[in-house]
Amino acid sequence: PEGEERYTAQYDVEAYFYRLGIPPEIGRYFCLKEVPTWMVHKFPAPRDESPDGGPWFPYFQVVPMGWSWAMWIAQRVHVQAHIVAGFLPQAIVVDGQPPPDIREHRVIAMPYCENGNVMSMRKQEAEDAVEKVMNVLKGWGLGLQDITGAQLQAESLGVFIDGRRGRGIV
C-alpha cells in the first residue's frame, strides 16, 4: 500500500533435490547401468537389497533433478512446509493463482523450489514467520543456507525486490 514498506526475509534449502528422498518403488525407475556382482562384493553394501549372484542396478534414493516431475515435487514439498508452519494457502504465491494481497494477509510467502521468501510490512512479523518455516524444514531434515533477516531490499531469482517502493524489478 502507498506509504508502507515491505520487508523480505530469505533462506535457501541446501542441496534441496539431493535431500528429498523417494521410495525404492520410484527410485528403481532411475537405475544406473548394471554393476557386475564381482565388483559389488569388493565394496560394503546392504546384502538384503539385491539377489546373490545376480546383476546389481544401483538406483536413486532422492529426487533426480532431470526428472520431469522433480520440480513439481520440490515445489509441493516447499509449499507444504509453509502450510505446516501456519501459512494459509491463500497467503502463498503459487503458479496459476493471483498473488496474495499483503493488506489482507499480514505475512505472505513466495517459495520457489529451494528458495524461500517471506514478506510483511512489519519486520518482526517477517522474521518470526520465516523462522517458523525454517524450523519445519529443519525438522524434516533439510539444511538451510544463505539466511537473511528481514530487509527492505532483497534479490531473489534475478528479481530485485524494493520494499521501499513496493515493487520488484527484473
Side-chain angles (χ1 to χ4, degrees), residues 3-6 152-153 161-167:
E4 291 282 348
E5 296 178 320
R6 181 184 59 219
L152 286 172
Q153 297 180 328
I161 303 167
D162 188 342
R164 288 190 176 97
R165 295 175 54 199
R167 64 177 70 179

Side-chain angles (χ1 to χ4, degrees), residues 5-11 82-83 85-93 99-111 116-133 150:
E5 296 178 320
R6 181 184 59 219
Y7 292 88
T8 303
Q10 299 176 300
Y11 62 88
H82 284 76
I83 293 169
F87 279 84
L88 294 173
Q90 301 86 350
I92 303 171
V93 176
D101 188 331
I102 200 163
R103 293 170 293 191
E104 183 181 338
H105 306 282
R106 295 176 61 95
V107 181
I108 61 174
M110 188 174 68
N117 299 279
V118 174
M119 301 170 204
S120 177
M121 291 183 289
R122 305 291 175 261
K123 183 177 184 174
Q124 192 61 52
E125 287 181 351
E127 290 182 352
D128 292 345
V130 81
E131 188 69 32
K132 288 178 184 177
V133 175

Side-chain angles (χ1 to χ4, degrees), residues 135-148:
N135 285 337
V136 169
L137 293 166
K138 288 177 194 174
W140 290 352
L142 299 170
L144 302 171
Q145 61 186 8
D146 301 330
I147 300 166
T148 62

